[in-house]
Amino acid sequence: MRAAPPHRARPAPASGGGPTPWMAAPALVLFGLFALVPLAGVAVLSFASWDGLGAPRWAGADNWVRAAGDPVTREAVWLTVKLTVLCYLFQAPVSLLLGVYTATRTRHREVLAVLYFLPLLFSSAAVALTFKGLLDPNFGLGAALDLPLLARDWLGDPDLALGVVVFVVGWSFIPFHALLYQGGVRQIPASLYEAARIDGASAPAQFLHITLPQLKYTIVTSSTLMLVGSLTYFDLVFVLTAGGPGGATRILPLDMYLTGFRSYDMGQASAIGVVLVAVGLALALGLNRLTGSHRMESRQEGA
């Protein structure tokens, strides 16, 4: 008998139907026109003196020196750090627990999920106006219901105003992050929980040893959005307190706006804007590198 001819491997088909880098071209063009070009203009303007009306004049590093030496701006930096930390400590655990709860098949979960996510339907300005009216000491909820606790001047007290801003920010954005966690929990294989129940693991043990490790990258994504997003809380704070009372809530984005459009110092405001962009970018890249999420390993290994 003649030996069978050796099997010839078929040549791999040429790739022609998959995604190509050109598919990202439209998005990159729009991003360049509406993000990179304005950012470059702001960076150039940070070295110029301009009141918003006349012709800009070259000022060198004067805007940066004045911004670094301005006590109002330094206080705004400190308030921004406080707001970032407090908002994260408030939003992170609440949104995680809420997302895990709404991902399970518990009674009335659908109704509660809808109620929890209602704030996502409202704009920041509408939310700020609503809370401003509800917390008004003369005509708000406390005066209407004769509740001394709510009748306090929450937004007029420098010791309470920042706490109110943290609460309103959390009320507005916790539903979004809870939605991220809800989607992450539903991607965890049910077999992991079944094996844990067979081994006698309690519900808290399953949460600590299965849910949290499997939500690693969801936690990183949510944390990045929370921390970087804290640099953009301009509209809500502006409508709610306008930076008051006495500068108690004048965070850096609001300080940038007031410096540029109230003091007509576009150069110094541009320098503050560049600082905001740099800090936001550093936060995002730092978290990405620190947590190793840029490698994006699968969280379902062994499932």
Side-chain angles (χ1 to χ4, degrees):
M1 294 179 62
R2 288 171 31 182
H7 177 71
R8 293 184 179 179
R10 293 184 178 180
S15 59
T20 65
W22 288 106
M23 292 184 178
L28 291 176
V29 171
L30 291 177
F31 179 76
L33 288 176
F34 295 101
L36 297 182
V37 172
L39 180 59
V42 170
V44 172
L45 192 59
S46 67
F47 295 96
S49 176
W50 187 41
D51 61 1
L53 297 176
R57 299 188 309 275
W58 183 255
D62 181 62
N63 293 322
W64 293 87
V65 173
R66 288 190 296 111
D70 190 350
V72 176
T73 300
R74 289 204 300 265
E75 179 66 18
V77 172
W78 169 237
L79 287 175
T80 305
V81 172
K82 286 177 61 176
L83 182 69
T84 300
V85 173
L86 292 174
C87 284
Y88 182 79
L89 293 178
F90 177 42
Q91 292 183 70
V94 175
S95 56
L96 174 61
L97 295 176
L98 211 63
V100 172
Y101 171 73
T102 53
T104 58
R105 299 184 179 278
T106 53
R107 190 178 182 186
H108 306 310
R109 180 190 61 80
E110 292 83 1
V111 176
L112 291 175
V114 171
L115 292 177
Y116 292 151
F117 298 148
L118 275 179
L120 288 176
L121 304 177
F122 309 132
S123 68
S124 297
V127 170
L129 285 173
T130 301
F131 275 96
K132 191 173 183 178
L134 290 174
L135 296 176
D136 188 285
N138 299 315
F139 308 102
L141 195 61
L145 300 179
D146 195 20
L147 297 175
L149 179 63
L150 291 179
R152 297 181 62 180
D153 192 4
W154 291 91
L155 297 176
D157 189 337
D159 297 327
L160 300 175
L162 189 64
V164 175
V165 170
V166 171
F167 174 79
V168 176
V169 167
W171 187 89
S172 301
F173 295 102
I174 281 177
F176 171 74
H177 297 282
L179 190 61
L180 293 180
Y181 287 118
Q182 180 184 7
V185 171
R186 290 182 176 177
Q187 297 299 316
I188 301 176
S191 59
L192 296 179
Y193 294 101
E194 293 172 0
R197 283 192 292 269
I198 292 174
D199 291 339
S202 62
Q206 295 178 38
F207 176 76
L208 290 175
H209 299 290
I210 297 177
T211 305
L212 283 182
Q214 291 290 321
L215 289 177
K216 174 183 176 181
Y217 295 126
T218 305
I219 293 174
V220 172
T221 301
S222 176
S223 299
T224 303
L225 293 174
M226 285 182 191
L227 295 175
V228 177
S230 63
L231 304 176
T232 64
Y233 296 148
F234 162 74
D235 48 355
L236 193 149
V237 178
F238 179 71
V239 176
L240 189 63
T241 65
T249 58
R250 181 166 171 157
I251 58 176
L252 205 55
L254 187 57
D255 181 60
M256 176 187 66
Y257 169 81
L258 295 176
T259 301
F261 294 95
R262 293 282 179 86
S263 301
Y264 301 103
D265 191 347
M266 296 297 179
Q268 185 174 338
S270 299
I272 298 172
V274 173
V275 171
L276 282 171
V277 173
V279 171
L281 187 60
L283 273 175
L285 294 178
L287 282 172
N288 190 270
R289 290 290 178 179
L290 184 64
T291 57
S293 59
H294 59 286
R295 294 191 297 269
M296 295 301 290
E297 304 99 339
S298 171
R299 302 310 300 166
Q300 297 186 11
E301 295 177 359

